[in-house]
Amino acid sequence: MMNQQQRQSGVSLISLLIGLLIASIVVVAMMTVYQTSVRTMMKSAESARLQSESLSTLLTSHLSLQGAGYGMPVDDLLDNPDMAIDFSAAQFNGSGRLVTGGAGIALVWRYGVDTNNDFEVDNFRCEGLYVSADVGVVQLVSNSSCSTARRVSWPSIPWLQVPLASPSQLTNLDGEDAEINNFFVNLEDRDPPCSPFGMSDNASVQGVLGRRAVEVGYQRLVGGTPQTVSTTTCLVNLVPEGVL
């Protein structure tokens, strides 16, 4: 009786290895595409968040600056404008006092308050903005009386620092440091006069138009491209139209 040799069908070891290699290549390619998509989405979301917080920072500055010089006598505003608002390079020393000089920038302004609720200004306080590479952008608030906004008085003012923008927001999404000097404050005279946002430039009522304005902003890098975010505030309380 002759033994018949039966042939068995199946996949050889080499074919199996080739199939596993192809499958691995496909999986790696899919994972690479997925990671790239997630990374792009995260960068887009982070960019949108930073832009939103940057605009919020400047909006807060804009609202605070509108009170600069409020309630101050006109003669003081004309003869000593730096009593109402002053700007200088500055830093916080080891005692937590704001002093001139250093790598930071400070803008301080003075405004009147009604502490007796009788609709009359009976006290003055100071407020400000400070920016540096180590703290980012902060709002300076003080509940103490303030006789002048001049820089010589800054160390004597007990400041409360309210963070507006963290130091990470002064860098681009790739972690490259942005120049702190890109933060700028421009105090300028306006002729013709300026007007607050939403008010007509043709308004003639005293106090509606102003002759001085402050532009506050800073530049950061987004995807390697410089982006400038700024806001301009018309200071109607500083030498208002109709005084000169």
Side-chain angles (χ1 to χ4, degrees):
M1 190 172 179
M2 184 179 291
N3 292 331
Q4 294 182 350
Q5 191 176 17
Q6 296 181 350
R7 301 182 63 184
Q8 296 181 351
S9 61
V11 180
S12 67
L13 179 60
I14 296 177
S15 298
L16 181 61
L17 292 176
I18 293 176
L20 289 174
L21 176 61
I22 295 175
S24 299
I25 293 175
V26 172
V27 171
V28 170
M30 292 177 62
M31 291 181 62
T32 301
V33 172
Y34 174 75
Q35 290 178 349
T36 302
S37 300
V38 170
R39 190 178 298 111
T40 301
M41 291 176 58
M42 291 180 62
K43 282 192 173 184
S44 298
E46 183 69 5
S47 178
R49 183 186 69 83
L50 290 179
Q51 184 175 8
S52 175
E53 292 184 2
S54 298
L55 294 176
S56 176
T57 296
L58 295 180
L59 177 60
T60 300
S61 304
H62 170 74
L63 294 175
S64 298
L65 273 164
Q66 288 182 333
Y70 173 73
M72 291 186 60
V74 174
D75 291 341
D76 287 346
L77 294 173
L78 293 175
D79 299 335
N80 303 289
D82 57 347
M83 289 185 63
I85 189 167
D86 202 1
F87 169 69
S88 174
Q91 64 180 349
F92 279 92
N93 61 17
S95 302
R97 297 293 183 176
L98 182 64
V99 296
T100 56
I105 299 173
L107 173 72
V108 175
W109 57 90
R110 184 172 177 246
Y111 63 97
V113 293
D114 173 20
T115 60
N116 296 323
N117 298 321
D118 57 1
F119 303 102
E120 295 288 340
V121 173
D122 52 58
N123 199 356
F124 288 93
R125 292 175 183 169
C126 281
E127 199 168 327
L129 290 174
Y130 174 75
V131 62
S132 71
D134 57 338
V135 300
V137 181
V138 299
Q139 182 180 15
L140 303 177
V141 181
S142 177
N143 292 324
S144 301
S145 297
C146 179
S147 60
T148 178
R150 288 174 174 166
R151 65 194 70 175
V152 295
S153 68
W154 295 354
S156 63
I157 302 175
W159 294 111
L160 172 64
Q161 301 182 47
V162 181
L164 297 180
S166 64
S168 62
Q169 291 177 241
L170 300 177
T171 64
N172 70 353
L173 299 182
D174 296 324
E176 181 180 339
D177 290 339
E179 292 292 335
I180 199 67
N181 291 333
N182 287 343
F183 179 86
F184 59 88
V185 176
N186 295 325
L187 177 61
E188 55 189 23
D189 296 329
R190 288 297 183 90
D191 189 13
C194 61
S195 62
F197 177 77
M199 302 295 294
S200 172
D201 290 338
N202 297 322
S204 59
V205 179
Q206 180 174 332
V208 174
L209 299 182
R211 291 189 177 275
R212 307 194 80 183
V214 170
E215 182 185 16
V216 180
Y218 60 91
Q219 190 178 71
R220 60 188 179 90
L221 297 176
V222 178
T225 302
Q227 182 184 79
T228 300
V229 184
S230 66
T231 180
T232 300
T233 304
C234 182
L235 304 179
V236 296
N237 298 308
L238 302 182
V239 195
E241 172 69 359
V243 172
L244 297 180

